């Protein structure tokens, strides 16, 4: 319990609920007004002995001057200070702490909460625990955060009912600000955000700078997850006002990942890891949002990690297979070619969709050898059809290229090799790229696509309509065909807006002398509407799902018929 002295301080209830936190209250002369049990325990003195001390007596001599300087700076206008110092322990050595001081002008009292750095320095080791403080923001750093979290874990073991939460926060689009306004402004923004968070949470909670534009918040003694949401809402509300940085108004938002301590967590690192995952999820929602970590997310993350590890060996174990989906000439109802789509036959998990593993392959760089393999395989298969089946000379195959491949210097060699090794003409091969690949490094992508085009390879812009592309720049891109994304086809027969969109694309493509392929055609009704618009090609379940090579051979031999 606290030990109130004669003039009781107006302590907030938040303080009173936390008897085992390092808390002190003292006046301008340093006379101690209240001291929490945790101090008595941490420093090893009796309460009676501590009552004889003034605040400055607790500090290591060399640290006193700085502390006094900091106190002198505190006023109604600047009511908080944070710094580190060492405190004497009765049995020798020091306790390293980071102070979080606030000044209440009305009572003239200082409220000091401290985070123990758990570094019990001996006099032979007279280094300040500055390794625990972030140089830019003055906040505790990641090590101290984890240390404090560890401490909180231990306290929670003793107090079953105690609940606490970790929030992993990341500034949205910080890189853009850093690049457009410069690093100095970036630093100022980080400091401002650090202060904003610090002033929004309770003094007994902790905010730390974990890395770059990422902060961690530890909320102790919360009721349940809703308490954390209050904090998040308060921070987001404050962020609705811009920061004034060097006369620039800078708006910023933060994404939050939230984890409330449960039995599944034995280690602070695990909790922080999951909070980070939830934050990534929140960012994917578009930023300025929060996500609470749950078991589903955890399982998903574990699966992704397993995929990542298994993916490394999938190629050498021949686990990939190319599937082929027909592209139909809508006017003639004939087969124009195939799109090659990769599948992963996982020995334990079964068939895995590219939607799931392509992003992992992109992140790990595996997409380069995998993409090379697909190019080879698709070319080999098409050449096989062309040489063994009559009337297949004009068939083409389209291979998807991820943006990593488009930006890879070796791509041209890979394409040349795939054609040469299989004796396939460049006119038989098409490549599909998405708008996002074009956006990352437009000039470089354009130059590469032009080189492919010069070889005779045709370029398809995939998933058209889902990215950021402005119609205005479409004529600059070396594109032969637009593939309208299936999201515009799905409701084509019900929604006028989708019909108008597709119509506009068809007109535009005609003007630019580009072909149009509509993806995801499942119904005859949709095919009829597209035919009436003058769309040249369609692809979708109406004619066939993607199938293995043998089944594709059957489709070539028997011809295509719509399914309904
Ligand atoms: P995508 O290139 O847009 O491929 C079309 C996707 O739509 C395929 O999904 C196909 O199965 C699906 N689809 C086709 N017709 C219909 C339909 O009528 N209804 C519905 N609901 N879906 C239809 P899939 O095979 O799962 O591939 C998904 C995405 O994965 C592809 O989208 C492509 O972006 C990527 N991908 C597939 N194979 C490769 C590859 O070899 N390399 C790279 N980089 N990406 C690939
Ligand atoms: Mg595609
Ligand atoms: Mg597509």
């Amino acid at each position: 319990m606290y030990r109130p002295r004669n003039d009781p301080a107006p302590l907030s209830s938040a303080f009173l609920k936390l008897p085992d936190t390092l808390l002190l209250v003292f006046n301008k002369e340093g006379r101690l007004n209240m001291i929490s049990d945790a101090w008595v325990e941490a420093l090893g003195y009796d309460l009676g002995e501590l009552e004889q001390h003034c605040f400055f007596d607790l500090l290591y001599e060399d640290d006193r001057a700085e502390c006094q300087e900091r106190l002198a700076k505190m006023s109604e206008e600047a009511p908080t200070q944070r710094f580190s110092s060492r405190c004497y322990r009765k049995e020798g050595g020091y306790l390293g702490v980071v102070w979080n001081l606030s000044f209440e002008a009305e009572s003239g009292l200082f409220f000091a909460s401290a985070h123990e750095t758990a570094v019990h320095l001996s006099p032979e080791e007279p280094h300040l625990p500055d390794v625990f403080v972030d140089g830019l923001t003055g906040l505790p750093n990641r090590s101290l955060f984890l240390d404090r979290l560890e401490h909180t874990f231990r306290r929670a073991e003793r107090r079953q009912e105690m609940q606490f939460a970790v929030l992993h926060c990341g500034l949205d689009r910080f890189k853009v600000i850093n690049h457009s306004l410069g690093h100095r402004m970036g630093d100022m923004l980080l400091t401002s955000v650090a202060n904003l968070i610090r002033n929004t949470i309770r003094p007994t909670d902790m905010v730390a700078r974990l890395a770059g534009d990422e902060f961690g918040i530890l909320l102790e003694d919360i009721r349940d997850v809703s308490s954390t949401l209050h904090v998040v809402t308060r921070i987001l509300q404050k962020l609705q006002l811009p920061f004034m940085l060097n006369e620039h108004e800078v708006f910023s938002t933060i994404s939050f990942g939230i984890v409330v301590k449960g039995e599944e967590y034995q280690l602070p690192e695990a909790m922080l890891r999951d909070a980070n995952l939830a934050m990534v999820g929140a960012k994917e929602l578009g930023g300025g949002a929060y996500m609470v970590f749950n078991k589903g997310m955890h399982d998903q993350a574990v699966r992704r990690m397993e995929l990542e590890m298994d993916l490394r060996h999938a190629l050498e174990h021949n686990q990939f297979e190319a599937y082929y989906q027909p592209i139909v000439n809508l006017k003639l109802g004939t087969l124009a070619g195939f799109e090659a789509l990769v599948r992963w036959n996982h020995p334990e998990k079964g068939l895995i969709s590219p939607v799931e593993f392509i992003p992992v392959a992109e992140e790990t760089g595996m997409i380069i050898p995998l993409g090379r393999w697909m190019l080879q395989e698709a070319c080999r298969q098409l050449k096989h059809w062309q040489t063994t089946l009559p009337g297949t000379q004009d068939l083409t195959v389209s291979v998807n290229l991820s943006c990593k491949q488009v930006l890879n210097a070796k791509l041209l060699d890979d394409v040349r090799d795939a054609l040469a090794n299989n004796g396939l003409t460049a006119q038989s091969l098409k490549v599909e790229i998405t708008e996002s690949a074009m956006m990352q490094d437009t000039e470089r992508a354009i130059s590469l696509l032009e080189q492919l085009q010069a070889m005779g390879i045709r370029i398809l812009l995939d998933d058209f309509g889902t990215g950021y592309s402005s119609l205005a720049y479409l004529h600059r891109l070396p594109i032969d065909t637009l593939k309208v994304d299936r999201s515009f086809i799905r409701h084509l027969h019900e929604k006028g807006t989708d019909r108008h969109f597709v119509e506009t694309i068809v007109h535009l493509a005609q003007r630019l002398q580009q072909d149009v392929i509509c993806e995801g055609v499942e119904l005859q009704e949709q095919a009829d509407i597209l035919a009436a618009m003058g769309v040249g090609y369609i692809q979708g379940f109406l004619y066939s799902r993607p199938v293995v090579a043998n089944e594709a051979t059957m489709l070539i031999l028997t011809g295509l018929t719509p399914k309904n």
Side-chain angles (χ1 to χ4, degrees):
M1 290 307 112
Y2 295 103
R3 169 98 184 164
R5 309 246 323 213
N6 297 341
D7 38 0
L11 291 177
S12 77
S13 58
F15 276 65
L16 288 167
K17 267 195 257 155
L18 298 162
D20 47 3
T21 302
L22 298 178
L23 278 176
L24 285 172
V25 181
F26 56 90
N27 67 11
K28 280 200 166 137
E29 287 74 50
R31 198 166 78 97
L32 290 175
N33 192 290
M34 280 190 176
I35 187 159
S36 68
D37 282 352
W39 270 119
V40 181
E41 200 182 304
L43 299 180
Y45 297 101
D46 297 337
L47 191 58
E49 284 172 299
L50 279 176
E51 276 177 349
Q52 308 308 314
H53 285 61
C54 92
F55 171 68
F56 301 105
D57 296 337
L58 299 179
L59 305 181
Y60 177 58
E61 261 176 83
D62 289 3
D63 300 345
R64 281 181 201 156
E66 190 198 343
C67 178
Q68 269 159 337
E69 225 172 83
R70 300 252 187 183
L71 292 187
K73 279 191 204 150
M74 291 172 76
S75 63
E76 208 162 342
E77 289 74 44
T80 58
Q81 279 281 334
R82 196 173 279 233
F83 61 98
S84 59
S85 79
R86 293 160 286 189
C87 296
Y88 284 115
R89 296 173 71 239
K90 186 174 182 184
E91 60 214 49
Y94 311 95
L95 178 65
V97 297
V98 174
W99 292 101
N100 183 7
L101 284 183
S102 44
F103 175 61
E104 193 179 70
E106 200 183 319
S107 59
L109 290 172
F110 292 91
F111 295 80
S113 71
H115 305 312
E116 197 180 325
T117 59
V119 179
H120 297 255
L121 299 161
S122 72
E124 292 80 47
E125 259 183 305
H127 295 294
L128 265 178
D130 273 353
V131 283
F132 291 104
V133 179
D134 171 55
L136 176 69
T137 59
L139 292 183
N141 62 13
R142 186 185 192 91
S143 313
L144 180 52
F145 189 75
L146 281 169
D147 198 85
R148 167 87 184 270
L149 194 54
E150 173 93 53
H151 192 75
T152 310
F153 263 70
R154 275 189 264 122
R155 278 179 52 213
E157 275 165 22
R158 295 195 302 265
R159 285 177 46 199
Q160 289 300 312
E161 78 291 354
M162 182 175 147
Q163 284 242 49
F164 62 94
V166 167
L167 277 60
H168 201 294
C169 332
L171 260 67
D172 300 319
R173 291 171 285 281
F174 178 69
K175 281 200 187 82
V176 177
I177 293 170
N178 230 1
H179 285 151
S180 52
L181 297 177
H183 291 271
R184 261 180 58 87
M185 293 280 273
D187 283 356
M188 282 163 76
L189 178 64
L190 286 173
T191 314
S192 308
V193 168
N195 285 334
L196 183 145
I197 300 177
R198 185 170 20 203
N199 293 331
T200 309
I201 60 176
R202 299 175 301 190
T204 47
D205 294 327
M206 184 191 221
V207 52
R209 179 159 177 226
L210 300 178
D213 56 354
E214 292 175 8
F215 298 91
I217 303 177
L218 173 61
L219 300 177
E220 293 193 332
D221 287 87
I222 55 164
R223 212 173 348 98
D224 52 33
V225 72
S226 66
S227 322
T228 66
L229 300 190
H230 289 145
V231 176
V232 167
T233 316
R234 279 208 305 275
I235 295 175
L236 286 177
Q237 265 168 1
K238 288 190 181 178
L239 286 173
Q240 284 177 357
L241 293 174
F243 292 105
M244 284 304 294
L245 307 179
N246 271 357
E247 293 167 7
H248 286 271
E249 276 193 355
V250 179
F251 285 92
S252 183
T253 56
I254 296 180
S255 298
F256 296 85
I258 303 171
V259 176
V260 178
K261 166 77 164 72
E263 274 169 18
E264 67 273 33
Y265 294 110
Q266 306 301 325
L267 292 171
E269 287 84 357
M271 221 175 144
L272 194 57
R273 176 204 63 207
D274 286 354
N276 185 18
L277 277 173
M279 181 194 74
V280 173
K283 282 202 185 248
E284 280 167 8
L285 294 176
Y290 63 83
M291 196 175 263
V292 182
F293 188 85
N294 58 32
K295 177 132 186 349
M297 280 177 83
H298 176 80
D299 294 349
Q300 203 184 335
V302 169
R303 181 173 159 100
R304 196 184 157 99
M305 231 170 58
E306 286 171 355
L307 287 188
E308 194 179 311
M309 285 190 312
D310 295 347
L311 201 57
R312 292 180 206 286
H313 309 289
L315 203 53
E316 64 205 58
H317 292 158
N318 289 324
Q319 290 168 0
F320 292 116
E321 188 171 5
Y323 275 51
Y324 298 90
Q325 186 176 33
I327 296 168
V328 184
N329 179 320
L330 190 52
K331 278 201 195 81
L332 308 174
T334 53
L335 178 68
F338 290 100
E339 175 174 7
L341 294 156
V342 67
R343 299 287 182 267
W344 181 5
N345 293 310
H346 192 284
E348 286 122 38
K349 297 186 167 77
L351 200 67
I352 305 180
S353 155
V355 177
E356 191 173 1
F357 71 81
I358 291 283
V360 185
E362 284 178 340
E363 247 169 57
T364 56
M366 265 298 293
I367 192 70
I368 301 295
L370 170 58
R372 191 177 296 136
W373 180 84
M374 272 302 277
L375 274 166
Q376 286 286 347
E377 183 58 19
C379 289
R380 188 196 61 74
Q381 184 61 57
L382 182 62
K383 185 65 188 181
H384 178 70
W385 282 325
Q386 287 182 346
T387 47
T388 56
L389 306 178
T392 49
Q393 286 310 309
D394 295 335
L395 278 192
T396 59
V397 70
S398 316
V399 176
N400 291 282
L401 297 183
S402 97
C403 68
K404 275 259 173 77
Q405 284 172 281
V406 176
L407 299 176
N408 186 279
K410 291 250 165 56
L411 179 70
L412 281 176
D413 290 341
D414 290 347
V415 172
R416 270 192 214 105
D417 288 351
L419 291 174
N421 293 347
N422 297 290
L424 196 73
T425 60
Q427 285 67 28
S428 300
L429 180 64
K430 298 182 175 186
V431 294
E432 301 196 1
I433 51 140
T434 58
E435 295 163 70
S436 54
M438 298 296 309
M439 294 303 291
Q440 283 215 350
D441 187 343
T442 311
E443 294 313 314
R444 194 155 156 202
I446 288 181
S447 132
L448 188 120
L449 296 179
E450 279 171 351
Q451 295 180 65
L452 286 173
Q453 251 183 351
M455 286 165 65
I457 292 164
R458 275 163 289 172
I459 318 284
L460 280 59
L461 190 58
D462 205 352
D463 303 343
F464 185 71
T466 56
Y468 299 100
S469 66
S470 85
L471 298 178
Y473 89 123
L474 206 55
H475 69 279
R476 281 187 56 216
L477 304 180
I479 298 293
D480 299 286
T481 304
L482 294 179
K483 289 192 83 173
V484 178
D485 189 69
R486 67 166 186 266
S487 53
F488 299 101
I489 308 301
R490 194 180 306 145
H491 303 291
L492 193 67
H493 52 300
E494 308 151 343
K495 248 169 94 181
T497 45
D498 286 356
R499 206 171 305 174
H500 291 147
F501 176 82
V502 179
E503 238 160 15
T504 311
I505 299 307
V506 173
H507 289 151
L508 183 78
Q510 280 167 349
R511 289 243 312 273
L512 298 171
Q513 294 181 319
Q514 295 170 344
D515 281 330
V516 172
I517 304 179
C518 288
E519 298 189 84
V521 178
E522 297 185 357
L523 306 170
Q524 186 62 51
E525 221 179 326
Q526 296 164 338
D528 293 342
I529 295 171
L530 295 171
M533 283 180 193
V535 167
Y537 301 90
I538 59 169
Q539 183 182 343
F541 296 173
L542 175 63
Y543 279 91
S544 172
R545 290 174 177 267
V547 291
V548 294
N550 281 343
E551 283 182 54
T553 307
M554 291 306 291
L555 289 174
I556 298 173
L557 292 173
T558 58
L560 295 168
T561 40
K563 297 272 176 298
N564 53 2

